[in-house]
Amino acid sequence: MRKALMILAFCAVSMSAFAQTFVIRGTRHEKTEAMKPTMSEFYYPEIAKVTPGDMATNSAPSDAIILFDGKDLSKWQGARGGEAGWKINPDGSMTVNKDMRNGGGDIMTKESFGDFQLHIEWKVPENITGEGQARGNSGVYLQNKYEVQILDSYANETYVNGQAGSLYKQSAPLVNPCRKPGEWNEYDIIYTAPTFTADGRYRTYPIVTVIFNGVIVQNNTTLVGTTEYIGFPTTEPHGDGPILLQCHGDRSEPISFRNIWIRKL
Ligand code: MG
């Protein structure tokens, strides 16, 4: 009993001692009478006001750069040079052009980006054919180096680190929330660009979060290098880079995109 009382008394002293101190970056500080709550409350720099988009229509927040609003491809160019030759549809979407002799191929933004939040919507056509990687394949390349895979993954078996929502051949998605062909899918991608050492190695790796139809499928995932179809990721020092949309060489019906916007972070 006496021992139990002694333990209780010790705890009380410890707790009161704990309540009188606080730790900042490993250093213990004593609280004093002179300290006020306002000492740890900041008013500057002021936080910018942003008007959020309309959740019902996925419209962009007020500080976003609109990359595609259904009217034109003025923010895009062909990845091999020249105009972006994808088809703009009456419903405000655009469709991949696979005809390489008539303006087809990958397209990429004219502007380059570092850290960003990207919103993009994509749809596999209802009449899609093909299987595996040859069924609605496209992709969003971050800084023109790292692919977030786009594929019809509603009912289509392939390697898991190559299905929709994967960081292609590096990280499978946590779950599969893909909608069926004919319905729109959404990606919200949060990207932290890498930094490099003077001798060309990663100082900090690229980090990607992907929210797929409102579901997190990549949670602060670290990429270990560039996206490679054959072999392993490589390290290529780079600065800011464009967003590239893939025109995959398979024969399946081309997919469509709409409502693309980006916010620099
Ligand atoms: Mg792809």
Side-chain angles (χ1 to χ4, degrees), residues 33-176:
E33 288 292 313
M35 296 175 89
K36 300 283 186 252
T38 50
M39 291 177 69
S40 50
E41 297 165 6
F42 301 94
Y43 289 82
Y44 301 97
E46 286 185 30
I47 305 302
K49 275 206 172 240
V50 170
T51 305
D54 179 351
M55 301 295 273
T57 58
N58 280 342
S59 60
S62 58
D63 64 346
I65 298 167
I66 308 297
L67 294 177
F68 178 67
D69 65 0
K71 295 189 182 79
D72 60 55
L73 286 164
S74 59
K75 300 284 175 64
W76 300 83
Q77 61 190 356
R80 295 177 305 157
E83 300 261 301
W86 291 12
K87 183 184 162 207
I88 295 181
N89 306 306
D91 67 356
S93 64
M94 63 169 158
T95 299
V96 176
N97 177 5
K98 294 194 179 196
D99 185 351
M100 303 298 278
R101 283 171 295 186
N102 287 301
D106 300 342
I107 63 170
M108 64 184 190
T109 56
K110 292 175 181 172
E111 188 170 353
S112 287
F113 301 95
D115 301 346
F116 58 78
Q117 172 189 354
L118 173 70
H119 177 88
I120 186 164
E121 299 175 25
W122 53 275
K123 182 175 75 173
V124 172
E126 206 170 352
N127 63 342
I128 189 75
T129 58
E131 57 186 36
Q133 291 291 306
R135 187 179 169 90
N137 197 329
S138 181
V140 186
Y141 277 76
L142 317 177
Q143 294 193 312
N144 201 10
K145 300 267 185 234
Y146 313 105
E147 183 185 17
V148 179
Q149 174 70 312
I150 288 176
L151 189 73
D152 174 25
S153 292
Y154 182 70
N156 178 31
E157 198 171 326
T158 187
Y159 39 95
V160 296
N161 57 349
Q163 70 179 67
S166 67
L167 305 181
Y168 186 71
K169 290 205 170 172
Q170 291 195 43
S171 176
L174 294 168
V175 290
N176 177 7

Side-chain angles (χ1 to χ4, degrees), residues 198-221:
D199 61 351
R201 290 172 294 129
Y202 285 109
R203 183 187 302 282
T204 57
Y205 289 89
I207 295 172
V208 187
T209 291
V210 180
I211 303 169
F212 183 0
N213 293 332
V215 179
I216 290 199
V217 294
Q218 300 290 343
N219 184 12
N220 267 320
T221 306

